[in-house]
Amino acid sequence: MELHELTVKEASEKLLNKEISAKELSGALLDRAKTLDKDLHAFLAFTEERAKQDADSADAAIKQDRAMPLTGIPYAVKDNILIEGIQATAGSKILENYKATYTATSMKRLMNQLPVLIGKTNLDEFAMGSSTENSAYGPTKNPYDMSRVPGGSSGGSAAAVASGQALFAFGTDTGGSVRQPASFCGVVGFKPTYGRISRYGLIALGSSLDQLGIFAKTVEDVALIAQTVSGPDEYDSTALNKPVADYTSLLNNDVKGMRIGIPKEYFASGIDPEVEKIVKDAIKRFQDLGATVGEVSLPHTEYALATYYIILPVEVSANLSRYDGQRYGFSAPGKTLEEVYVNSRSLGFGAEPKRRIMIGTYASSAGYSDAYYKKAKLAQQLIRKDFTDAFEKFDLLITPTTPTPAFKLGEKSDPLSMYLADIFTVGLNIAGVPGISIPAGMTQSGLPVGIQLVAPHFAEEKLFTAGHAFQKSLDQKFKPTLTK
Ligand code: GLN
């Protein structure tokens, strides 16, 4: 097997047995990236110098027998996550040349294990989008079909893992930005409970919805990484002080007797027949593994997308007000301070952030906030209650991650059709519950399709147990052909 095909666990075993060195492993991936990524464009920057230093530290630790499970493992980070001294553009022109002045808590926790940073990955501008086409630095392509999108907004991270340029990667998930690209690129993508992982050092999109997310080839790898980065943080009061379970030791718990609910609203019209078949087959597989399944209703599902597209833009309009051409990155000249603000924001932001700033400012302004923002916050309570009610009868829920497989670059040119790509993922962010997308099959034309598992708040171990059993029973390794 080639080095880039290894899972984190397999690579870790080889490193600890001294079959390979961290330097060889990251070198092989970076070499591969040099030719591959010209077309694919998963990365906005490679951190070669940093990778060399990281690999040296990892190799020294391995030599002295103080290696940990992630020591020497090459990883990639979405370019809206801060690592001191390294660029963080958020895919926007307004943060061109901006370098982070501190490191995200989650990344610090990870770095204690001495993994190897390969680079920063592409994303839709400020993580707004579902295809990575909104990046100010050009789109990423899908490693399974270069005429298609990798999903978004963490499309670069998903494509980096799928194409073997990193063995795991981080993204952010505010409405589906980890799970949807994971589904499109045939990798595992995990979004934790809101409050499970610190948001300190993520460039804020919607602060009440944002969470760090994790991509890897297997559920087992994701569980290990999640365990490493989860937990409370004095710099983020929303990261709750709840104990983090030892996820990896719970992976082999029994699926027998688990109760899995099928929310009927997630199988309504509009879902691609091939996707539907793959999800139905997955449900059958869970039954074969000993789970009991039953239908359940999440009656307010139809309001999820509308609710999201009020709450999110309102938070965007506040969060993005800090980019004024003064404090960060790009600045356009002007005769007065106000002109600098206007020119910098006009030239620095792309169409989607501008659209959302306008919608959000309108929906939260005096006279309109009762009709829009406050109503959306009430709808959020109903959607959240749908999930908590369902979890009185079920341990987990299963849904398609997305209604269709990866679409063509340029196919969804109007914003609304793009927003609809998140129809099955946004509900989880609104309710704050955790979810994971796991590759479950392929379409006739060779595009990966994922299933989404959903768990109650702070019960991510259930996702990992069920997901791991499912993946083992499937015994299929997806491998992109990387043809045009
Ligand atoms: N696609 C959704 C949006 O455009 C979700 C984005 C995300 O999760 N960051 O807002």
Side-chain angles (χ1 to χ4, degrees):
M1 195 191 280
E2 296 202 55
L3 293 180
H4 69 266
E5 291 173 356
L6 297 173
T7 64
V8 170
K9 190 173 177 221
E10 289 162 347
S12 178
E13 279 162 12
K14 286 191 190 302
L15 287 162
L16 297 184
N17 295 337
K18 307 191 174 65
E19 277 174 61
I20 51 168
S21 69
K23 200 173 179 167
E24 273 170 296
L25 179 58
S26 53
L29 266 55
L30 277 163
D31 277 351
R32 180 176 165 76
K34 257 176 212 143
T35 43
L36 194 72
D37 213 52
K38 282 204 183 87
D39 267 358
L40 196 64
H41 196 42
F43 285 84
L44 291 179
F46 289 100
T47 49
E48 270 193 273
E49 275 313 302
R50 166 71 185 249
K52 277 197 192 117
Q53 292 164 11
D54 283 354
D56 284 345
S57 312
D59 282 328
I62 293 166
K63 215 166 152 193
Q64 296 158 10
D65 287 327
R66 39 179 191 90
M68 288 157 281
L70 296 171
T71 301
I73 308 292
Y75 70 106
V77 176
K78 187 178 182 180
D79 211 21
N80 63 348
I81 301 171
L82 306 189
I83 299 174
E84 189 179 346
I86 293 178
Q87 73 164 53
T89 64
S92 181
K93 194 165 180 239
I94 211 158
L95 284 175
E96 201 172 15
N97 303 323
Y98 173 71
K99 285 199 169 64
T101 53
Y102 65 97
T103 300
T105 302
S106 50
M107 296 302 110
K108 268 197 181 154
R109 286 201 180 133
L110 177 85
M111 286 170 197
N112 288 335
Q113 293 224 2
L114 307 175
V116 178
L117 180 67
I118 294 286
K120 300 293 301 287
T121 57
N122 199 10
L123 67 156
D124 287 299
E125 187 171 359
F126 284 102
M128 298 180 203
S130 310
S131 68
T132 318
E133 292 167 296
N134 290 342
S135 168
Y137 303 99
T140 299
K141 294 170 188 161
N142 189 311
Y144 282 84
D145 177 346
M146 299 283 248
S147 68
R148 291 177 189 269
V149 304
S153 65
S154 317
S157 288
V161 174
S163 63
Q165 302 186 73
L167 298 193
F168 70 96
F170 291 101
T172 54
D173 190 314
T174 306
S177 278
V178 167
R179 291 158 287 149
Q180 187 255 16
S183 178
F184 281 10
C185 290
V187 295
V188 178
F190 162 67
K191 177 202 98 74
T193 308
Y194 183 81
R196 179 72 296 181
I197 302 183
S198 167
R199 289 180 295 110
Y200 182 69
L202 309 191
I203 294 181
L205 173 62
S207 307
S208 76
L209 306 163
D210 295 343
Q211 274 292 292
L212 183 83
I214 301 165
F215 295 96
K217 294 190 188 92
T218 65
V219 174
E220 191 174 20
D221 288 352
V222 167
L224 170 68
I225 299 153
Q227 190 170 320
T228 309
V229 298
S230 293
D233 177 13
E234 61 174 317
Y235 297 116
D236 175 6
S237 59
T238 66
L240 292 190
N241 194 1
K242 276 189 183 266
V244 181
D246 182 357
Y247 298 138
T248 49
S249 75
L250 301 171
L251 278 172
N252 292 312
N253 275 7
D254 224 341
V255 175
K256 205 177 254 148
M258 264 194 176
R259 299 158 306 164
I260 304 184
I262 307 167
K264 65 170 193 236
E265 291 80 3
Y266 283 66
F267 291 83
S269 59
I271 153 167
D272 177 283
E274 280 189 288
V275 171
E276 185 164 4
K277 164 131 193 3
I278 289 168
V279 181
K280 295 238 156 103
D281 288 348
I283 293 170
K284 170 114 200 350
R285 189 169 283 277
F286 277 110
Q287 278 176 309
D288 294 343
L289 289 168
T292 57
V293 303
E295 198 178 82
V296 63
S297 171
L298 303 178
H300 299 93
T301 299
E302 63 176 304
Y303 304 111
L305 208 59
T307 302
Y308 175 84
Y309 276 103
I310 296 291
I311 296 175
L312 189 271
V314 166
E315 295 187 16
V316 162
S317 73
N319 276 328
L320 267 55
S321 64
R322 61 171 70 93
Y323 305 106
D324 55 6
Q326 294 296 303
R327 283 174 288 183
Y328 311 95
F330 175 80
S331 181
K335 284 196 239 31
T336 61
L337 185 59
E338 185 160 351
E339 258 184 48
V340 174
Y341 291 162
V342 171
N343 294 346
S344 301
R345 288 170 69 84
S346 303
L347 295 169
F349 287 135
E352 191 61 30
K354 283 181 187 160
R355 182 176 299 121
R356 296 199 195 185
I357 290 168
M358 285 191 281
I359 294 172
T361 306
Y362 180 83
S364 57
S365 58
Y368 293 101
S369 88
D370 280 353
Y372 296 104
Y373 182 66
K374 283 194 184 144
K375 220 180 218 170
K377 288 301 279 183
L378 290 173
Q380 177 173 28
Q381 294 309 316
L382 297 173
I383 293 163
R384 196 182 159 100
K385 189 170 177 306
D386 282 356
F387 281 93
T388 45
D389 288 350
F391 287 127
E392 288 192 356
K393 290 193 218 82
F394 294 99
D395 298 300
L396 287 175
L397 305 177
I398 183 169
T399 78
T401 308
T402 58
T404 66
F407 44 87
K408 295 255 183 202
L409 286 152
E411 185 181 322
K412 296 196 191 289
S413 48
D414 76 295
L416 201 57
S417 71
M418 189 69 84
Y419 297 170
L420 282 165
D422 305 318
I423 189 131
F424 298 148
T425 50
V426 291
L428 282 69
N429 301 75
I430 293 171
V433 292
I436 193 166
S437 178
I438 305 168
M442 290 267 204
T443 63
Q444 293 278 331
S445 57
L447 298 173
V449 171
I451 50 158
Q452 175 174 253
L453 299 178
V454 192
H457 294 103
F458 294 97
E460 11 285 281
E461 63 278 1
K462 291 189 182 176
L463 300 176
F464 300 141
T465 301
H468 180 58
F470 175 76
Q471 229 180 6
K472 267 198 327 204
S473 79
L474 212 55
D475 195 32
Q476 91 196 123
K477 283 207 171 165
F478 291 102
K479 210 166 144 185
T481 46
L482 289 162
T483 50
K484 291 198 184 175

